Amino acid sequence: MGKMSKKIIRQGDLGFHTGAMHDFYYRGKELYCEKVRVLDIVRKVGTPVYIYSHNTLIEHVEKLQKAFQSVQPLICYSVKANSNLAVLKSLIAKGTGLDIVSGGELYRAKQVGCDPRKIVYAGVGKTEPEIEEALRYGILLFNVESRPELELIHQVAQRLKKRANISLRINPGVDPRTHHHIATGKLESTFGIDLDTARQIFLKRFDYPSLNICGIHVHIGSQIVKGEPFVEAFRKIVGFIDSLEREGVRIETLNLGGGLGVIYNDEVPQTADQFAKNILSLFKGKKYRLILEPGRFIVANGGILVGRVLWVKQTKVKNFAVTDTGMGDLIRPSLYDAYHEVWPLVRKDHARKLTYDIVGPICESGDFLAKERHLAELESGDYLAFMTAGAYGFVMASNYNSRTRPAEVLVRADRFAVVRKREDFHSLVAGESVPAFVG
Ligand SMILES: *Cc1c(COP(=O)(O)O)cnc(C)c1O
């Protein structure tokens, strides 16, 4: 490393916020992830490929652990943001639990040996087999979203002669001021139980001998950059718990959900420290244990998606760079109008800049990754990195157009490993068959 004294360019030098993705940076003209040259990964593994930085994941957990040190919350990483087994293992090795939303995520949690007493299970549509499996494994808490779900968990627990810990997901009726597809805390949203219904359930808790209804859960949405929606929601919840306690209900856990925003472009989200500072005073003197469920905050800036420019197509009005990756691999731009920075793997500092729409190969006009970006002139064979793609990236990838899903790679210091191999055509049709009555 000593010889490589070329200027190191970090995100901040390019006019973005420093610190957001500091494990991805330019050394000279080339993009690195930790100590690995991204080109070396791409040459070995091919494109499209997701690349994750182990260090970023760990640092984000540490930031939360440090900010909330005084209350020692249980941090349950939200598996749905990025469920790769290597990512999960990295996080639980650092002491986190897991927040799951399906039987499939429970299976992943078991695969990496997550302590069941650190698993919380949310989701509006849990099925009976899923509930049974979670009860058998002995998870910490079910975050319950409706009365019929509560009844079903009770029945299953009775049948298995087990007692399930329950926290009710409360819908506090606040607007998190984020994209409407990822806002969940408003009253018209599908998620959670209103305060009156929740109160009734708590007061009738002894009608459910196989349930220990002892917790409150609140998750108001995702990519929330401001502090106020959290404070507004949590203040309401604390008041609600106070009133329950006056009626003799003891609350053991308060799960604050996830939702912390990250930097994709020019957002200025609150830091873990600011978040803690904003909210911890609300819980002074309270006996319940806090749970946090961060997803995006942990992984978003820990990952990139790399694709290759197939060719540049110039029309009378626009330049399109057609790449080998698109909405099938990273759907956030198409789905949420999300913004991802585009960095070339090799910078061309003196090339002229042109404006490009960066599009994928899928037969949909919505197949784009970035619009109207000023980039040094692109040519066939150039590699591009789509930044901040670690959360809600691969997990939302599909096989639409019968395209195989990308490989995933984890980098740790100067090492890297393929943590999910690229799908092949065999896996594409695995499970399909043609019955004798056709053809
Ligand atoms: C999605 C989800 C999270 C994580 O949200 P992020 O915005 O990724 O932090 C946490 N809790 C619940 C219940 C969720 O559905």
Side-chain angles (χ1 to χ4, degrees), residues 150-354:
L150 189 79
E151 307 281 347
L152 179 60
I153 296 173
H154 186 238
Q155 278 172 29
V156 179
Q158 243 171 353
R159 173 159 60 77
L160 299 180
K161 301 195 169 46
K162 292 192 182 284
R163 195 147 185 261
N165 291 324
I166 302 292
S167 73
L168 298 185
R169 177 164 178 183
I170 306 290
N171 186 332
V174 300
D175 182 351
R177 280 152 267 177
T178 180
H179 190 281
H180 61 278
H181 283 169
I182 50 177
T184 54
K186 295 203 259 186
L187 284 178
E188 63 267 31
S189 118
T190 12
F191 298 97
I193 299 173
D194 66 83
L195 292 175
D196 285 339
T197 309
R199 174 184 308 279
Q200 287 165 22
I201 294 172
F202 275 113
L203 295 180
K204 294 258 187 233
R205 64 198 179 285
F206 299 121
D207 293 357
Y208 304 93
S210 297
L211 302 181
N212 174 28
I213 307 179
C214 61
I216 300 267
H217 174 223
V218 55
H219 170 75
I220 57 174
S222 199
Q223 183 55 13
I224 302 167
V225 291
K226 295 257 179 300
E228 295 86 52
F230 288 111
V231 173
E232 191 187 331
F234 300 159
R235 182 170 287 138
K236 258 190 178 172
I237 297 295
V238 168
F240 178 64
I241 297 177
D242 288 348
S243 75
L244 285 175
E245 291 188 327
R246 284 195 293 275
E247 297 185 76
V249 178
R250 202 169 85 79
I251 296 297
E252 295 169 26
T253 59
L254 171 56
N255 182 335
L256 300 176
L260 285 173
V262 302
I263 300 169
Y264 286 98
N265 180 14
D266 54 4
E267 300 89 346
V268 188
Q270 53 178 355
T271 62
D273 278 333
Q274 287 164 342
F275 179 52
K277 215 164 148 201
N278 281 341
I279 63 167
L280 277 181
S281 60
L282 296 171
F283 311 117
K284 258 216 179 88
K286 307 295 184 192
K287 296 221 170 59
Y288 33 82
R289 177 153 199 220
L290 294 182
I291 299 176
L292 303 174
E293 290 174 335
R296 190 188 310 269
F297 178 82
I298 306 282
V299 288
N301 280 312
I304 62 175
L305 168 65
V306 179
R308 186 166 54 92
V309 176
L310 299 175
W311 43 74
V312 174
K313 182 174 162 182
Q314 281 164 329
T315 70
K316 288 212 174 74
V317 288
K318 267 194 170 163
N319 302 313
F320 292 100
V322 182
T323 67
D324 64 356
T325 183
M327 67 184 289
D329 301 332
L330 179 63
I331 202 175
R332 300 186 67 259
S334 308
L335 192 60
Y336 307 131
D337 273 322
Y339 180 96
H340 290 269
E341 278 296 336
V342 181
W343 293 13
L345 253 51
V346 181
R347 292 176 350 125
K348 305 178 204 171
D349 290 338
H350 304 294
R352 64 176 175 151
K353 289 206 162 182
L354 294 174

